Amino acid sequence: MSTQSTVKGPKSSQSRVVMFVLNAFRHDTRVEKQARMLVDAGCDVVVIALRIKDVPRREWRDGYRILRIDPAGSWFLGLVLFRFLRCYRFSPSLVARLFGVRLVEPSDEAVRGGRRRRSVVRRGRDSKPAKATENAGGSLLRVLQVSVAVVLVFPVRALIGGFRWVRRRSAVVARNARARLRNSEIRLPGLLASFIVRAYRVCRRTFRRLGRGWSRFTRRVMKPIVRRLPSGVRSLGNDLHVARLGMALSPDLIVAHDTNTLPAALVVSRVTGTPFVFDSHELFLERNLPSHLQASERWLWSLPERDGVHAASARFSVSNLVCDSLRDRYGVDFEELPNAQEFEEGLEADGRLQTAIGVASTTPVAIYVGRVTRGRGLELLPEAATLRQDVHWVVMGPGSEGGYATSLAEDLQELEIENVHILPPVPSSEVGYWLLDATVGIVPTNSGMASYQLGLGNKSFHALAAGLPQVLSDQPGKRRFAEETGAAVVFDLDDSDSLASQVGRVVDDPVLRERLRISALQAGRRFDWRIVGERYRERCLEVMETAS
């Protein structure tokens, strides 16, 4: 079970691994396992995620840190920089200026110690300009380059930081100007000095009023508009702030989880020279989306994904079929890293699932564990539950508190179906204990998107670790899984009669159920995360060693 760690901080000798995750990181089993695996290897692991309501900004969990940032509103700037300009292809110094940091080359001692990557310092009150050298001002071309960079960078930095940044920056400039005038031997005429002071005060008041007016405009006008934007466009704004925090952490390795974190990984890698690993949780360009968003999202992420895949030092994905698809598309190798779980011998059911839904311990239960949303085949449950009323059907996972789950509950209430239960999610480390009480697990995914057809989620491997027979939708990835493990049967896609029939077959036939259970336990031992994840750990350590 995930618990708060008492570790106060990393050792200075540890290699730092920074993971980018553009979600709240509450129920992301895959990222949790990878973080723990690298912590066990002696790495200082930091996960950068998004902050939502009632979730702490900073957290220690199982030996690694979680830093959550507020979702950004700089979506337009992210769209311009990442999609149109592809700023991660600029020179490192110019990218650093765009993101408000100053490059610091590694010292001779750090190079001798194997650390060749550049670090960064935030530009601001604490950052001092480099001292002028003999050749610093001698090149007219260099002066022109710096001047052009300043002209180009200032509006970008103003857009990233908003009015508050402009106000702070103008205050710094004014303070420095006052210091220079105070220390200068030249004295301004009294009338001119008075005019400058008054002009500065007027500008300061103007910026304050503009800032308050902009805040009201953003809150009342822009936020409702931004909420209607596709999630991918908003993610580009988040990448801006993830990249800045990632650079400040001076990582030895970056792990980009899914395509929407690749722009941030590319920027940090470009500026600091840090290698990164790409973990594709799915076929991102063919994921489950409303039909009217599919074309725009594919256009939005196609270039960043292509650039990120080719720049990554190592690439992983969830199944062989997904790896083959990505390999055919980009011409580079992907390594399979299934969503395996840790296998434990001798676990016994304790009846917690039947207690939660208020039925006897001998009642057969079919359980779905995963995100409660469209495209997961949950709309088949009302009719299937009507056909098999002796079985209680349980839906448990993130999203069960509202949205699609609410409409599903309303449909069940309208049809007066009482043998379907919607439960809130539990920590990933406890999912296996709940599955021990179930009779059969169901994965009724019915989306026609390639990501669902070829991929395999956490739920199937949770069931293997618990020795739970499964009924899966007849899709290529799941059919192949059922054939290789012998722990599942498939039902006809989008057919609630077939789903009820196959669930009833497993429930009514103890010989079949026992055979599927034994096969599941054997496959669970083979797919133990402590075995499967070892290759991932070795690969990450190999990338860091090669880079140093």
Side-chain angles (χ1 to χ4, degrees), residues 358-386:
V359 297
S361 59
T362 57
T363 304
V365 176
I367 186 170
Y368 165 88
V369 178
R371 181 164 293 280
V372 184
T373 185
R374 300 184 186 277
R376 304 296 179 100
L378 299 180
E379 57 272 15
L380 303 177
L381 293 189
E383 187 173 349
T386 302

Side-chain angles (χ1 to χ4, degrees), residues 518-534:
I518 294 174
S519 297
L521 291 174
Q522 292 174 347
R525 295 185 185 96
R526 190 167 71 252
F527 283 103
D528 188 346
W529 171 251
R530 286 164 290 200
I531 300 173
V532 173
E534 185 63 30

Side-chain angles (χ1 to χ4, degrees), residues 12 51 118 133 148 213-214 230 245 271 281 303 354-355 367-368 416 427-428 463 465 502 510:
S12 58
R51 184 169 180 262
R118 297 178 291 269
T133 62
V148 171
W214 178 255
L245 181 54
V271 172
H281 295 197
L303 280 180
Q354 282 82 357
T355 301
I367 186 170
Y368 165 88
E416 298 181 353
S428 59
Q502 292 291 62

Side-chain angles (χ1 to χ4, degrees), residues 177-206:
R178 288 200 304 270
R180 290 192 185 97
L181 289 173
R182 193 179 300 116
N183 298 328
S184 174
E185 296 179 357
I186 302 175
R187 291 290 179 264
L188 294 177
L191 186 61
L192 179 59
S194 175
F195 172 78
I196 292 175
V197 170
R198 290 185 180 182
Y200 167 71
R201 290 175 179 173
V202 168
C203 291
R204 186 172 59 180
R205 286 195 299 269
T206 302

Side-chain angles (χ1 to χ4, degrees), residues 37-345:
M37 182 65 73
L38 293 174
V39 167
D40 292 341
C43 298
D44 169 29
V45 179
V46 183
V47 179
I48 300 178
L50 297 182
R51 184 169 180 262
I52 61 174
K53 188 178 180 181
D54 300 329
V55 175
R57 187 180 297 275
R58 298 174 180 267
E59 183 181 352
W60 275 96
R61 185 190 298 175
D62 293 341
Y64 58 90
R65 286 181 290 167
I66 304 171
L67 304 179
R68 294 186 175 91
I69 62 171
D70 291 317
S74 309
W75 58 270
F76 179 74
L77 183 60
L79 181 66
V80 172
L81 288 180
F82 292 137
R83 183 57 182 83
F84 291 105
L85 297 181
R86 296 158 77 185
C87 68
Y88 44 77
R89 305 176 71 185
F90 296 169
S91 67
S93 58
L94 180 54
V95 178
R97 292 186 68 90
L98 284 173
F99 284 83
V101 297
R102 179 166 54 87
L103 289 179
V104 179
E105 295 295 334
S107 63
D108 294 339
E109 182 180 354
V111 172
R112 286 194 297 270
R115 184 179 179 89
R116 302 177 183 275
R117 286 171 291 286
R118 297 178 291 269
S119 58
V120 298
V121 176
R122 286 190 62 182
R123 293 181 180 271
R125 297 181 180 180
D126 298 331
S127 62
K128 299 178 181 179
K131 293 183 178 180
T133 62
E134 295 180 1
N135 299 324
S139 171
L140 179 60
L141 178 61
R142 177 61 179 165
V143 173
L144 289 175
Q145 287 177 340
V146 173
S147 302
V148 171
V150 169
V151 171
L152 293 176
V153 166
F154 181 80
V156 174
R157 291 290 302 117
L159 286 172
I160 293 177
F163 277 103
R164 291 182 180 178
W165 180 85
V166 174
R167 194 174 66 221
R168 287 197 303 268
R169 188 64 181 169
S170 62
V172 171
V173 171
R175 187 177 67 247
N176 293 339
R178 288 200 304 270
R180 290 192 185 97
L181 289 173
R182 193 179 300 116
N183 298 328
S184 174
E185 296 179 357
I186 302 175
R187 291 290 179 264
L188 294 177
L191 186 61
L192 179 59
S194 175
F195 172 78
I196 292 175
V197 170
R198 290 185 180 182
Y200 167 71
R201 290 175 179 173
V202 168
C203 291
R204 186 172 59 180
R205 286 195 299 269
T206 302
F207 272 122
R208 286 177 178 172
R209 291 172 181 172
L210 285 174
R212 288 193 292 266
W214 178 255
S215 298
R216 288 193 293 269
F217 174 75
T218 302
R219 185 172 58 254
R220 297 175 183 177
V221 180
M222 293 302 296
K223 281 190 175 181
I225 295 176
V226 171
R227 290 193 191 103
R228 297 180 180 272
L229 290 173
S231 59
V233 176
R234 298 197 300 270
S235 293
L236 290 173
N238 295 326
D239 275 310
L240 291 170
H241 298 272
V242 170
R244 289 196 72 193
L245 181 54
M247 284 186 280
L249 291 171
S250 300
D252 295 289
L253 178 69
I254 304 163
V255 182
H257 286 280
D258 248 339
T259 298
N260 58 354
T261 65
L262 281 176
L266 285 164
V267 165
V268 179
S269 180
R270 182 64 169 168
V271 172
T272 65
T274 304
F276 72 93
V277 171
F278 174 45
D279 182 22
S280 177
H281 295 197
E282 58 181 339
L283 287 173
F284 194 84
L285 302 184
E286 289 84 24
R287 67 194 190 278
N288 183 34
L289 287 171
S291 57
H292 67 282
L293 294 178
Q294 291 171 7
S296 61
E297 289 283 310
R298 191 175 293 112
W299 170 85
L300 189 66
W301 292 106
S302 56
L303 280 180
E305 181 174 270
R306 187 189 68 185
D307 295 336
V309 165
H310 287 285
S313 300
R315 295 157 288 270
F316 298 94
S317 196
V318 294
S319 72
N320 278 326
L321 292 179
V322 174
C323 289
D324 293 342
S325 177
L326 292 170
R327 186 182 302 113
D328 294 341
R329 181 182 301 168
Y330 298 114
V332 293
D333 288 334
F334 275 78
E335 302 174 49
E336 182 189 19
L337 183 67
N339 288 305
Q341 307 296 322
E342 292 187 2
F343 182 83
E344 297 183 26
E345 298 278 2

Side-chain angles (χ1 to χ4, degrees), residues 322-487:
V322 174
C323 289
D324 293 342
S325 177
L326 292 170
R327 186 182 302 113
D328 294 341
R329 181 182 301 168
Y330 298 114
V332 293
D333 288 334
F334 275 78
E335 302 174 49
E336 182 189 19
L337 183 67
N339 288 305
Q341 307 296 322
E342 292 187 2
F343 182 83
E344 297 183 26
E345 298 278 2
L347 297 179
E348 296 182 359
D350 57 10
R352 67 177 72 185
L353 179 58
Q354 282 82 357
T355 301
I357 61 177
V359 297
S361 59
T362 57
T363 304
V365 176
I367 186 170
Y368 165 88
V369 178
R371 181 164 293 280
V372 184
T373 185
R374 300 184 186 277
R376 304 296 179 100
L378 299 180
E379 57 272 15
L380 303 177
L381 293 189
E383 187 173 349
T386 302
L387 296 173
R388 289 300 304 237
Q389 297 187 12
D390 58 318
V391 178
H392 280 255
W393 306 69
V394 175
V395 176
M396 182 171 68
S400 56
E401 298 86 358
Y404 178 73
T406 301
S407 62
L408 178 62
E410 291 173 353
D411 293 341
L412 295 171
Q413 185 176 4
E414 183 179 348
L415 297 171
E416 298 181 353
I417 298 174
E418 299 180 353
N419 59 327
V420 177
H421 312 271
I422 302 178
L423 300 180
V426 298
S428 59
S429 57
E430 297 183 13
V431 170
Y433 296 99
W434 287 79
L435 294 180
L436 290 171
D437 296 319
T439 309
V440 58
I442 58 172
V443 185
T445 308
N446 64 352
S447 173
M449 303 302 294
S451 182
Y452 279 177
Q453 291 187 22
L454 304 181
L456 282 171
N458 289 295
K459 53 185 76 66
S460 293
F461 292 94
H462 274 299
L464 288 184
L468 181 66
Q470 299 179 70
V471 175
L472 312 177
S473 56
D474 191 5
Q475 295 174 313
K478 298 175 182 62
R479 189 188 317 118
R480 182 173 178 174
F481 174 82
E483 294 170 353
E484 290 180 349
T485 63

